[in-house]
Amino acid sequence: AQSVTQLDSQVPVFEEAPVELRCNYSSSVSVYLFWYVQYPNQGLQLLLKYLSGSTLVKGINGFEAEFNKSQTSFHLRKPSVHISDTAEYFCAVSEAGGFKTIFGAGTRLFVKA
Amino acid sequence: EAEVAQSPRYKITEKSQAVAFWCDPISGHATLYWYRQILGQGPELLVQFQDESVVDDSQLPKDRFSAERLKGVDSTLKIQPAELGDSAMYLCASSARLAGEVEQFFGPGTRLTVL
């Protein structure tokens, strides 16, 4: 069975500063990894996903994530955040060849002016 | 742009009452998911449909929750009777096929408050 741990429940950061949201996963098999964003009172929207190939994945809104198999991590990064990036971010994992996706507890990113 | 529709957006009910939520997935999406998201937590899968068939309902509290997708298109999630602990956001999502690597498209959710 897979599990996902998001290491920070809240991350406050100033506008235009870089940010990293940390995600670790546990699985005995190959996995697919995802980051979703949720704005207040809305559903989740896919930011990026890793299926195979290059370990550096680029997504929407200037976000990128790096898959590190040895450290079982999939951290999300953005070099310069905007106020509009304030939202909840969810890391998710599914088993390669399977169909169930497990979500982490979320990290609330709060961008301050 | 195609979207997943959900209604109602908000529902307030008293415990022991029955509630129902509706979801209309993106046209052509065969897979439909119902998630429960408790405040401060990530979404937890309640039930997953492939067309009209249930493929996973292992986390659905079947003594009070039921879900159906009779024609393989829209879906209804029902709670009867509602309990205080059912207060949460109920999210519906859909995807083009049943596979772990595909993107799930989420609706705006129904926020349930049980008094």
Side-chain angles (χ1 to χ4, degrees), chain B residues 17-95:
Chain B
Q17 296 298 304
V19 293
F21 313 133
W22 176 80
C23 172
D24 191 13
I26 291 173
S27 178
H29 279 193
T31 308
L32 185 146
Y33 316 76
W34 282 103
Y35 289 91
R36 177 171 57 187
Q37 184 180 20
I38 296 171
L39 190 64
Q41 299 182 21
E44 175 194 23
L45 181 69
L46 292 175
V47 62
Q48 184 171 339
F49 290 92
Q50 175 71 6
D51 298 311
E52 67 276 9
S53 300
V54 174
V55 295
D56 188 348
D57 63 356
S58 57
Q59 300 303 310
L60 187 71
K62 299 180 185 64
D63 57 335
R64 298 185 301 108
F65 286 64
S66 64
E68 61 182 16
R69 194 184 183 199
L70 294 177
K71 297 183 179 179
V73 181
D74 59 337
S75 175
T76 302
L77 178 69
K78 297 178 181 177
I79 309 174
Q80 182 174 14
E83 297 181 352
L84 296 177
D86 296 331
S87 293
M89 175 78 87
Y90 290 83
L91 294 165
C92 179
S94 69
S95 63

Side-chain angles (χ1 to χ4, degrees), chain A residues 30-105:
Chain A
S30 296
V31 296
Y32 302 132
L33 294 158
F34 308 80
W35 276 98
Y36 284 83
V37 61
Q38 184 178 34
Y39 298 101
N41 294 315
Q42 295 185 26
L44 283 67
Q45 177 187 8
L46 183 69
L47 277 177
L48 49 79
K49 63 181 178 182
Y50 171 80
L51 303 183
S52 64
S54 174
T55 57
L56 184 63
V57 181
K58 294 189 183 298
I60 63 172
N61 300 342
F63 284 94
E64 63 181 32
E66 186 160 17
F67 170 58
N68 188 319
K69 187 175 182 180
S70 62
Q71 297 188 5
T72 61
S73 68
F74 190 55
H75 300 335
L76 181 70
R77 301 186 182 99
K78 186 170 183 179
S80 176
V81 295
H82 303 291
I83 297 288
S84 60
D85 292 323
T86 294
E88 191 90 20
Y89 292 80
F90 293 94
C91 182
V93 62
S94 67
E95 179 181 313
F99 56 81
K100 185 171 183 176
T101 301
I102 305 297
F103 288 83

